């Protein structure tokens, strides 16, 4: 551009009227083009003369300030003739934060305005999330530190119990320590969600380990468990250990909701899109109020409950791309249904 003007300036004496008109048209077109760019710029731009009067401004500047920039530049305390950058808040036409940059030219100061309200809010949110995370990490660290000695206490209490099997106070101690340990583990799981380590597998397989771990409790309370698994079940992407945890939480809740001699039916099946597991008990059931808040942390109706089992389970299922739902009637029982997308479905979905 500059070279173009230089060239014209050099030869201007030699140009006839026709050539001058041609050059003039070129310049006018160029000015028109620049004017359009200037007006369409999403950044607000104001040009100030040496005295600080606004001699030119674009639409964005007017919109950001809510009125003709010429009328308000005085209040903006713009530093003339030097480069600067600062933030300011304005409350009209609505509350927002603007970034203002100035850039000096030979005879003017150009002011750039940009709305950074959303950007700023995002940064603040990020800081807040960061602080929350720090507190959570600290809490998880402390819980972890408590869990280890607690484990040792529990083991030693077990040994003492062997020597003094009739001692009631030892039994009470062990129960309390186990309760503390349950709370800590629930808390740790809730605080430290680990990403599932997904592998192709069967949704039914982790059930077996889990039932084995609960076998004693199930026997003691004379609960009947039926397990209905078809021979072939379509593969899903699954973290088996995490799913053992889910089944454990659900089955434990069922056991706790059942009277002696109750029934738990476990049904595994598949439809076109998902592998599905339903765990149904004929225990005490839940009312509507309980159902509305199900899966929320710290909601428990049990004297010794933590209210974390379902929340952790739901998160694991969600991390597998699946869903968990519950149906229940007071006095009749409860059914939890987990759906995980079939592996081939998942891959197809990824390919789009
Ligand atoms: P917790 O077992 O420590 O109370 P959970 O998150 O596992 O925490 O369960 C939350 C609440 O949901 C329980 O306290 C209970 O009221 C209700 N609940 C969960 N599963 C069942 C079930 N199978 N039958 C009846 N109520 C249940
Ligand atoms: Mg529970």
């Amino acid at each position: 551009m500059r070279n173009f003007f230089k060239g014209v300036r050099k030869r201007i004496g030699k140009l006839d009227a026709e050539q001058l008109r041609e050059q003039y048209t070129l310049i006018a077109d160029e000015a028109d083009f620049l004017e359009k760019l200037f007006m369409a710029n999403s950044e607000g731009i104001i040009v100030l003369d040496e005295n600080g009067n606004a001699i030119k401004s674009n639409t964005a500047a007017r919109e950001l300030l809510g009125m003709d920039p010429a009328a308000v530049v005085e209040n903006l305390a713009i530093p003339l003739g030097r480069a600067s950058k600062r933030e300011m808040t304005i409350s009209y036409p609505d509350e927002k934060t603007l970034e203002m940059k100035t850039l000096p030219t030979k005879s003017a100061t150009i002011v750039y305005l940009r709305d950074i309200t959303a950007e700023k809010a995002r940064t603040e949110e990020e800081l807040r999330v960061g602080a929350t995370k720090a507190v959570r990490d600290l809490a998880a660290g402390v819980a972890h530190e408590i869990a280890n000695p607690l484990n040792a206490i529990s083991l030693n209490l077990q040994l003492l119990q062997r020597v003094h099997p009739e001692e009631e106070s030892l039994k009470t101690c062990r129960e309390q320590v186990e309760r503390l340990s349950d709370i800590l583990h629930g808390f740790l799981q809730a605080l430290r969600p680990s990403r599932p380590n997904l592998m192709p597998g069967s949704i039914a397989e982790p059930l077996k380990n889990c039932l084995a771990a609960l076998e004693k409790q199930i026997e003691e309370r004379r609960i009947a468990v039926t397990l209905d698994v078809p021979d072939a079940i379509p593969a899903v992407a699954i973290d088996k250990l995490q799913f053992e945890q889910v089944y454990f939480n659900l089955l434990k809740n069922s056991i706790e909701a059942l009277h002696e001699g109750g029934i738990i039916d476990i049904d595994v099946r598949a439809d076109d899109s998902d592998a599905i597991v339903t765990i149904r008990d004929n225990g005490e059931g839940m009312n509507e109020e309980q159902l509305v808040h199900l899966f929320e942390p710290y909601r428990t109706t049990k004297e010794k409950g933590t209210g974390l089992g379902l929340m952790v389970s739901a998160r694991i299922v969600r991390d597998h791309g699946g869903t968990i739902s519950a149906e229940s009637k007071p006095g009749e029982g409860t059914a939890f249904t987990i759906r995980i997308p079939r592996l081939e479905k998942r891959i197809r979905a990824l390919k789009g």
Side-chain angles (χ1 to χ4, degrees), residues 214-223 260:
L214 288 168
E215 197 180 327
K216 212 166 152 241
Q217 281 187 51
I218 290 170
E219 253 175 38
E220 270 173 17
R221 308 198 46 184
R222 295 197 295 112
I223 290 167
E260 211 161 284

Side-chain angles (χ1 to χ4, degrees), residues 315-343:
R315 192 178 55 213
I316 292 175
V317 172
R318 256 200 324 274
D319 286 350
H320 280 71
T323 58
I324 181 168
S325 58
E327 273 175 57
S328 190
K329 267 212 178 115
E332 288 186 18
T334 305
F336 279 90
T337 299
I338 295 172
R339 308 180 74 102
I340 301 290
R342 292 168 60 156
L343 189 63

Side-chain angles (χ1 to χ4, degrees), residues 249-258 279-281 283-287 290 293-313 328 333-336:
N249 291 344
L250 295 184
L251 288 169
K252 196 138 195 307
N253 281 344
S254 284
I255 293 171
E256 285 162 357
L258 282 171
I279 296 177
R280 186 186 307 276
D281 64 61
E284 64 190 16
M286 287 177 273
N287 60 29
Q290 281 172 283
H293 297 291
L294 210 62
F295 306 115
E296 289 176 13
Y298 307 114
R299 292 262 175 192
T300 181
T301 52
K302 298 168 195 169
E303 198 190 323
K304 296 184 172 177
T306 61
L308 290 171
L310 285 182
M311 175 234 152
V312 169
S313 306
S328 190
T334 305
F336 279 90

Side-chain angles (χ1 to χ4, degrees), residues 186-205:
F187 191 62
L188 277 170
Q189 274 181 37
L191 280 175
R192 278 200 181 145
S194 52
R195 271 172 165 273
N197 179 16
L198 298 179
M199 303 281 269
S202 157
I203 196 172
E205 205 200 294

